[in-house]
Amino acid sequence: GFGSQNILNNFISGLILMLERPVRAQDVVEVDGSHGVIQKIGPRSTHIRSTDGRHIVVPNSFFLESNVVNWTLSDDFMRSKVSVGVIYGSPTRLVKQLIEEVVAAEPRVLNEPQPKVIFDAFGDNSLNFDVYFWVEARSPMAMNEVQSRIRFAIDDVFREHNLVIAFPQTDVHMDTVAPLEIRLLGDAEKAADKPEPPSEPS
């Protein structure tokens, strides 16, 4: 009885998917954190080929009962973001200008909507910038390739202008009553400070 109910539920869900078309064959979807392309919508289940080549069989009722991200429902446009942080003291106006030039030179980035560079935050170790842009792509991998090229280009142009990409670092401040004594030991003093090895029992 429960098995028949499950089969009937998936069958009716398949009919609803075919009529309402919230997902279609060749749509790029995200299901439970996995991205893939819908290969076929059957009477009871939907076949998805993931980006790493796996075939995922999903019950049709899942698409009506769960949150499913359809990346290409209405069009192939996706918005993406690339973040970069530069060290304190960097010329922020120049950083913004260079990022805009890099994104404008990427052929896969759309001119409309126009890319936006945001000075996001004064971070603990860096001045953080985000650039938002739109790309016409049918898969997350295609988006990742565009992001990778932009990161390579940002790194190259920053090197040309002697701009340093920040990395985590910590400043240690020592508050003492008296000045710290610092000594440089010579070889003879180092040898004298070494403990003598224990003597072997006779």
Side-chain angles (χ1 to χ4, degrees):
F2 285 110
S4 300
Q5 181 181 3
N6 189 28
I7 292 174
L8 185 60
N9 182 22
N10 287 318
F11 180 77
I12 296 176
S13 298
L15 294 177
I16 295 175
L17 292 179
M18 293 177 185
L19 291 174
E20 295 188 355
R21 297 172 64 86
V23 292
R24 302 156 300 181
Q26 301 306 313
D27 276 353
V28 179
V29 296
E30 180 179 347
V31 177
D32 286 342
S34 298
H35 296 84
V37 178
I38 294 180
Q39 301 292 306
K40 182 183 69 172
I41 300 177
R44 292 183 299 161
S45 61
T46 298
H47 295 234
I48 301 174
R49 182 176 177 86
S50 67
T51 53
D52 56 3
R54 295 178 298 165
H55 291 271
I56 306 173
V57 179
V58 182
N60 288 333
S61 59
F62 178 87
F63 291 95
L64 302 180
E65 298 171 355
S66 305
N67 293 327
V68 177
V69 179
N70 190 338
W71 290 74
T72 54
L73 178 60
S74 57
D75 53 45
D76 295 343
F77 298 152
M78 301 182 186
R79 194 185 78 163
S80 185
K81 178 182 76 168
V82 169
S83 301
V84 63
V86 294
I87 62 174
Y88 274 85
S90 301
T92 54
R93 301 289 182 182
L94 177 61
V95 171
K96 179 177 182 292
Q97 175 187 339
L98 294 177
I99 295 176
E100 289 174 340
E101 293 175 357
V102 165
V103 175
E106 169 55 46
R108 294 290 299 275
V109 173
L110 302 176
N111 294 326
E112 292 293 337
Q114 186 177 2
K116 294 289 185 182
V117 178
I118 303 298
F119 188 170
D120 181 61
F122 294 96
D124 294 336
N125 305 291
S126 62
L127 304 173
N128 300 327
F129 289 81
D130 295 328
V131 54
Y132 296 88
F133 53 90
W134 286 83
V135 175
E136 186 174 2
R138 285 198 58 83
S139 69
M141 181 56 68
M143 178 68 73
N144 292 339
E145 291 174 353
V146 174
Q147 292 173 336
S148 177
R149 289 197 296 269
I150 289 177
R151 292 188 182 103
F152 274 120
I154 288 176
D155 183 64
D156 291 339
V157 74
F158 277 14
R159 291 176 187 271
E160 294 174 3
H161 290 80
N162 297 319
L163 295 174
V164 180
I165 296 178
F167 57 89
Q169 54 186 324
T170 303
D171 294 333
V172 178
H173 299 273
M174 304 183 68
D175 187 11
T176 59
V177 177
L180 295 177
E181 181 181 356
I182 300 176
R183 291 187 302 143
L184 298 177
L185 299 179
D187 293 338
E189 293 175 302
K190 290 180 181 178
D193 288 345
K194 287 184 179 179
E196 296 182 359
S199 58
E200 296 181 358
S202 56

